Amino acid sequence: MYDLIIKNGYVVSPSSTVKCDIAVSGKKIAGLGTYSGSEGKRVIDAEGKYILPGVIEAHMHCQAPFQGCLGANSFYEQSVSAAHGGVTMFMDFANMGKGDSPYTQALARAEEMEESAIDYSVHGKFVESTPEAIADIEKMAEYGIPTFKMFMTYKKEGVMSDDETMLKVFEKAKSVNGLPMVHCESNAIAETNIEKCMEENDLSWVNFAKCKPVLCEAEAFARAVYFQEYVGNALLVVHTTNGEALNTARRAHGKGLPLYVETGPHYLTLFDDLYKGENGHLAICSPPLRTPKEAEELWEGLKDGTILLTGSDDCTFDVDEKSLFLEKNPDGTWKQDFTKVVNGMSGIEIRLPLMLSEGVSKGRISINKVCELTSTNIAKIYGCYPQKGVIAPGSDADIVIVDMDKEVTLSKEVLHNNISYCLHDGFQVKGYPVMTIAKGDVIVEDGEFKGEKGKGEFIKRKINPDYLERYGLN
């Protein structure tokens, strides 16, 4: 007797879509094939629906102190919001300051995440390259944390990694099958532009985006890739927003460099016109929102395989935190000063719906490609495949059932991200998750969360060396 049987659905992998049943025993997938209802303690009829491996969110920032703000969600609340979007595992970043041990901070972050209702993991973070910090890379990799992030900007905030730190982290990561992750924005370009705006006393929301133009990102992207080529390591660039950067990636791929590129659905669906409004500060994130032209360049990158991952970069702040340091004009409007606004926006719950709607329903990409971009490729690159990221015997029974005919109008009332606004308010999506199953347990059904606080487990990861030595995931 199986604990769960899912019948009549279309099971999706990167390479195929097959109508078959799924049998689950305990936390694992026991088999795929044809099963009778009498063989399961519970039977779910998924007739007409698509069944994908649970979404993996490898890029979010929860309870992360930034500019005096902490964020709207606890890790448990974040896991509830995530589960409604089909997410069955997420990863966050260690909080780091100069003098901190990356290893110790990563373990502390994992402990903070124990309240999660879904499985979780952690990325290290580097802000300096002391001998002690570099030695922590091997300790993290041995513990099951083989990924480490660096920022190429935020020098004044004390979290930027300089070029020497990047090179040293790249070299050590290469020796232990680790994967550096970089946030690519030129600190010199960004800070020079911000200083000009301050001198001209024009810190409007619109100028935030102008201070960090496409070339601000593209310069840092190219520099990071040159460093990668010099050292010979694998590299992952997060939240890429434009074709200029993608062309650099294409040249790197032509040389066989193991360069992996991520983008986020907000760069595919939201644009810099949001900064023109009174509440444009709510859309401030880094890199900034671009134009429809850049969005089309990203869709091309998704289609041709230049971009192999998506991540929400969820960093959820409610209005009170986004506005915490702002002043009001005499007429009650905000006195616009983008330097006083915490960067970040919500997105973990709508990443899969947006990829289904804007990608599959509009004919841009296949549902198989969505499976890759939201789960399988992430599991492979981050080192938890085939435990995660695939519906196959022996894998964790992390499953999301999708109704491609379901239409939803996004709003703050629909979502579960614990904030009082929605940047996608009124956005129509077609294709939506209707059930989320984590390790064999139904945790979202009929819009109701049924999971348990603290049920998630820490997942130790190890990356296949093949993915770190050459470009590609086959």
Side-chain angles (χ1 to χ4, degrees):
M1 178 72 68
Y2 298 106
D3 293 301
L4 177 66
I5 292 176
I6 305 171
K7 291 188 63 65
N8 305 319
Y10 295 98
V11 178
V12 179
S13 74
S15 60
S16 66
T17 303
V18 179
K19 187 169 186 178
C20 67
D21 304 336
I22 303 171
V24 174
S25 289
K27 299 179 180 181
K28 300 289 184 178
I29 295 171
L32 305 177
T34 303
Y35 299 91
S36 69
S38 61
E39 293 180 85
K41 295 177 182 177
R42 178 178 180 183
V43 177
I44 296 168
D45 186 1
E47 182 69 44
K49 298 180 177 62
Y50 292 82
I51 305 173
L52 285 75
V55 174
I56 303 170
E57 180 58 76
H59 188 174
M60 70 175 197
H61 305 271
C62 181
Q63 296 288 290
F66 189 75
Q67 294 181 214
C69 301
L70 192 60
N73 294 320
S74 67
F75 278 107
Y76 170 66
E77 291 168 327
Q78 184 85 340
S79 68
V80 173
S81 175
H84 280 281
V87 178
T88 54
M89 178 184 175
F90 55 28
M91 307 179 202
D92 208 316
F93 301 86
N95 291 324
M96 279 294 297
K98 289 187 182 298
D100 290 339
S101 159
Y103 176 70
T104 299
Q105 292 299 101
L107 295 189
R109 194 56 156 172
E111 186 174 345
E112 291 172 352
M113 297 178 75
E114 288 177 355
E115 66 177 6
S116 171
I118 61 176
D119 286 351
Y120 57 94
S121 190
V122 176
H123 308 296
K125 189 185 292 183
F126 283 83
V127 299
E128 58 186 344
S129 54
T130 63
E132 294 81 9
I134 296 300
D136 274 1
I137 293 176
E138 185 169 6
K139 291 166 67 176
M140 281 190 286
E142 289 176 350
Y143 190 81
I145 304 172
T147 44
F148 333 101
K149 187 177 182 182
M150 288 170 287
F151 290 89
M152 297 177 73
T153 189
Y154 300 130
K155 182 177 181 179
K156 291 181 178 178
E157 289 79 7
V159 296
M160 186 185 94
S161 293
D162 59 25
D163 290 352
E164 291 80 6
T165 292
M166 288 177 60
L167 285 168
K168 289 178 181 179
V169 171
F170 284 12
E171 289 172 352
K172 187 63 177 179
K174 179 184 178 183
S175 72
V176 298
N177 286 329
L179 179 63
M181 309 159 65
V182 287
H183 171 130
C184 290
E185 288 185 294
S186 167
N187 192 74
I189 293 175
E191 286 197 359
T192 299
N193 285 335
I194 292 169
E195 287 171 4
K196 288 179 182 177
C197 287
M198 295 178 74
E199 290 169 2
E200 296 168 0
N201 196 29
D202 186 357
L203 296 168
S204 60
W205 316 141
V206 171
N207 271 352
F208 168 77
K210 292 179 180 178
C211 284
K212 295 184 169 189
V214 163
L215 288 181
C216 176
E217 181 183 344
E219 184 279 331
F221 191 109
R223 181 159 34 105
V225 173
Y226 279 127
F227 286 174
Q228 172 197 18
E229 184 174 10
Y230 173 72
V231 175
N233 62 290
L235 180 65
L236 194 159
V237 180
V238 297
H239 52 47
T240 302
T241 73
N242 62 83
E244 191 77 26
L246 294 185
N247 285 336
T248 295
R250 291 183 178 106
R251 289 192 291 272
H253 295 158
K255 297 178 180 180
L257 296 180
L259 171 68
Y260 297 101
V261 181
E262 174 206 85
T263 194
H266 47 304
Y267 296 117
L268 299 167
T269 57
L270 297 177
F271 308 112
D272 60 1
D273 60 337
L274 286 180
Y275 298 130
K276 297 177 181 178
E278 161 69 6
N279 292 315
H281 62 301
L282 300 179
I284 286 180
C285 61
S286 290
L289 300 176
R290 305 291 187 197
T291 73
K293 170 183 176 292
E294 280 79 39
E296 287 307 313
E297 292 168 351
L298 294 176
W299 282 113
E300 279 302 311
L302 291 166
K303 291 176 193 175
D304 69 19
T306 305
I307 302 172
L308 290 184
L309 308 90
T310 59
S312 70
D313 194 13
D314 185 288
C315 194
T316 302
F317 299 99
D318 206 353
V319 174
D320 56 347
E321 289 190 304
K322 294 288 279 190
S323 312
L324 183 62
F325 304 106
L326 296 176
E327 301 173 8
K328 288 285 185 77
N329 293 310
D331 63 359
T333 59
W334 293 114
K335 183 178 180 181
Q336 295 191 16
D337 184 345
F338 66 76
T339 67
K340 295 181 178 179
V341 179
V342 62
N343 284 218
M345 63 173 63
S346 182
I348 195 169
E349 187 174 342
I350 56 176
R351 176 166 146 244
L352 177 61
L354 289 175
M355 295 305 296
L356 292 170
S357 181
E358 296 301 295
V360 182
S361 294
K362 292 191 175 179
R364 289 183 170 111
I365 56 176
S366 68
I367 197 166
N368 310 92
K369 176 71 79 171
V370 170
C371 175
E372 287 185 331
L373 292 166
T374 61
S375 187
T376 306
N377 286 355
I378 297 164
K380 288 180 175 181
I381 291 171
Y382 285 99
C384 53
Y385 182 89
Q387 180 182 358
K388 307 288 186 181
V390 63
I391 296 176
S395 297
D396 285 354
D398 290 351
I399 295 166
V400 55
I401 301 177
V402 165
D403 184 347
M404 286 305 300
D405 293 320
K406 184 172 182 177
E407 298 185 15
V408 175
T409 301
L410 298 179
S411 69
K412 61 183 177 64
E413 289 79 20
V414 167
L415 302 178
H416 304 80
N417 53 18
N418 208 27
I419 57 174
S420 58
Y421 65 98
C422 174
L423 291 173
H424 282 89
D425 189 49
F427 200 98
Q428 304 280 335
V429 296
K430 183 178 181 182
Y432 214 81
V434 294
M435 180 178 287
T436 305
I437 300 167
K439 291 181 302 189
D441 293 330
V442 176
I443 61 170
V444 175
E445 183 176 12
D446 297 328
E448 179 184 352
F449 182 73
K450 298 183 175 183
E452 298 178 28
K453 186 176 184 178
K455 194 70 178 291
E457 298 176 293
F458 178 77
I459 303 300
K460 294 190 174 186
R461 300 175 286 117
K462 184 177 182 180
I463 304 172
N464 183 336
D466 287 348
Y467 305 151
L468 303 177
E469 294 169 0
R470 56 169 180 81
Y471 180 65
L473 300 174
N474 296 325

